[in-house]
Structures are given as structure tokens and as C-alpha cells.
Amino acid sequence: MTRLRDTDAEKRAQSGRSPDFLEALARGLSILTAFDGSRPQMTLSDVARAVDLPRATARRALYTLEQLGYLESDGKLFRLTPQVMGFAGAYLGSAGNAAALQAVCDALCQETDEACSAAVLAGDFAVMVAHSSPPRFLSTAPGIGFRVPAFCSALGRVLLAGNPTAIDGLQLQALTPRTVTDRNELAAIIARAAKDGYALSDQEAELGFRSLAVPVRRFDGRLVAALNIGIRIERATPKQMRETFLPLLLTAASRLAGLVV
């Protein structure tokens, strides 16, 4: 009798993963995270390309996620449903740091009249776990759950500063003409962020915006998050950001040391 190939087992063997690793679950999660601001809705072919899966495999995963309520479709285009927010809610509800970080972001936003965020590192991205924006911002402004590439954002560089070799496996794709993609130059920038205790990204993640970030450490010095203020470039120069916002961020991060775990 012909024996069916265990393609999942073959993939695990090739990647060096444990037999306990569930490829099907990994595929489903990779599809969910493929949707973002630049790809809010995708066809089956789009999804298959985005996550590098055969169309038949992607179709089954999409069908399953749609049946579970995490995706919806008009017959051609797939998009996330609000049900995926349950993941964020579960994280924020179980992560004791979220409330403290949100309170500090709210206070900084009120004091500076600028957007303030806190983020943690998740793979190649800095993911916002707290955010506060002034009333003048559009309701569509980035918020909790928004991801920015770690290598070119102030938040991400602060988070990467604790690991000098962290950039080795990162995909360095320019988002603007100002994005630094040279690994040696980027390594020097991250090393400087570690030495200076802050990072400034000037229109590298998005044209027209610059951001200043500092590390948030708990009482024993362990890095747990990054805290930043982001502005439109016409509102302050990099020098003015350092002079005005850096002391406020450092003071806020110092207060958080006794609150985060």
C-alpha cells in the first residue's frame, strides 16, 4: 500500500523543529498576521504569496479562519474581523505592565500635546501595547496593536539595543528614501542608542514623521518596553525633540521602573 507523505513532518525536519510543532497552527497565525495597514484585504492568491503557501493550503486555512470568525469574505477578498481583537484584549488583560504604560502615555500626551506610545519587541517588529494621541489626530491614527519595523523605528532600535546581534536576521527593506538599510551603519546606530539611552528615527519609518524613544526598565534593569513621542517634522527639529521631549521621556521611564515587571 502506498504511504502518504507527511509533509508537515518533512517541514519540521528541514527546519529543525520539534515533532510537537503544529505546522497547521503556524500557518493560520501567519495568515492572520499578514493582514496589516498596507494589506487590509487580500485575495486567496495575495494571501498565498504573502505567507509563501500553496493556494490549496492557503484556501483551507482561510476557510477555517473564516468559519471561526477571525476572517470575513465577500467571495473574493478576505479581511480581518473585530474578533481578532480578542487576542489583544487577552494579552492586555493578562500583562500587568499594560495599565502602567497606558497611564504614562496618557500623561505624556496631555503634557506635550503629542502622540505617545509604548511598545514591546515581537520578532522583526515593535508592537504598540499602549498609545495616546491628542484630539487633533484622526481616529484612524496608529494605536494599540500597530506594528512598526524594529530596525528603522525609534521604538524598535531601543528594544534592539540590548542585543547587538539582533539585526543579523532582520529583513532590511527601505520604507522611505531616508531608511538606513546598511547593516554596519545600522549596527552602529543601535550601539549608539544603547550607549546614549535613547534613539531618534527621523523619517525612516514614514516620511513626515520623526520619533524619539527611551527604554523602560524594571527595578533590576531588565528591559521590558520602549516609550516614545512621535511628531510631524514641522512641529520640532531633532535638536528640539532632544531638548524638550527627552527629559520628559526619561523621567517617565524612571517612574515606570517601580511599576513594571
Side-chain angles (χ1 to χ4, degrees):
M1 184 172 68
T2 303
R3 189 175 182 179
L4 294 176
R5 293 175 59 195
D6 186 347
T7 55
D8 280 0
E10 292 175 3
K11 289 181 180 178
R12 286 195 299 268
Q14 292 169 2
S15 64
R17 291 179 174 133
S18 164
D20 291 329
F21 185 86
L22 291 178
E23 290 286 349
L25 176 58
R27 287 193 291 264
L29 293 174
S30 69
I31 286 175
L32 288 178
T33 56
F35 292 87
D36 56 24
S38 63
R39 296 181 299 202
Q41 52 186 10
M42 291 187 280
T43 64
L44 166 60
S45 297
D46 293 334
V47 171
R49 283 193 298 269
V51 297
D52 193 23
L53 287 174
R55 279 175 55 91
T57 303
R59 181 174 60 250
R60 291 195 300 271
L62 287 167
Y63 174 80
T64 302
L65 291 168
E66 186 176 8
Q67 290 298 302
L68 291 173
Y70 294 111
L71 292 176
E72 62 183 11
S73 172
D74 60 7
K76 180 179 179 181
L77 291 171
F78 292 87
R79 62 189 66 84
L80 297 176
T81 72
Q83 186 165 314
V84 299
M85 293 299 293
F87 293 121
Y91 170 80
L92 295 173
S94 62
N97 293 339
L101 292 168
Q102 185 61 54
V104 166
C105 287
D106 290 341
L108 281 171
C109 177
Q110 185 172 9
E111 183 175 4
T112 64
D113 195 32
E114 301 293 352
C116 181
S117 302
V120 296
L121 193 63
D124 293 355
F125 297 91
V127 181
M128 294 182 187
V129 295
H131 179 80
S132 188
S133 295
R136 69 174 184 277
F137 275 48
L138 296 175
S139 59
T140 54
I144 294 174
F146 185 74
R147 303 184 304 169
V148 291
F151 82 95
C152 64
S153 60
L155 284 166
R157 287 173 177 173
V158 164
L159 294 167
L160 291 170
N163 183 1
T165 63
I167 65 169
D168 292 346
L170 298 182
Q171 297 295 317
L172 308 183
Q173 182 177 0
L175 300 183
T176 78
R178 299 174 65 98
T179 306
V180 174
T181 57
D182 180 82
R183 290 191 186 275
N184 291 331
E185 184 179 357
L186 185 59
I189 291 172
I190 292 175
R192 187 163 64 247
K195 178 182 177 181
D196 295 342
Y198 73 91
L200 192 149
S201 175
D202 191 359
Q203 302 187 79
E204 291 192 54
E206 183 177 356
L207 285 177
F209 287 88
R210 55 176 58 110
S211 177
L212 182 70
V214 301
V216 174
R217 302 182 185 276
R218 66 181 197 179
F219 68 94
D220 60 358
R222 186 173 72 86
L223 180 67
V224 295
L227 184 68
N228 92 316
I229 290 175
I231 66 165
R232 291 284 312 177
I233 57 173
E234 61 267 19
R235 293 182 66 84
T237 65
K239 182 174 183 292
Q240 289 171 332
M241 288 192 74
R242 293 187 186 93
E243 293 174 348
T244 304
F245 299 136
L246 184 56
L248 298 176
L249 285 168
L250 291 172
T251 298
S254 178
R255 289 200 307 268
L256 280 165
L259 302 174
V260 296
V261 296

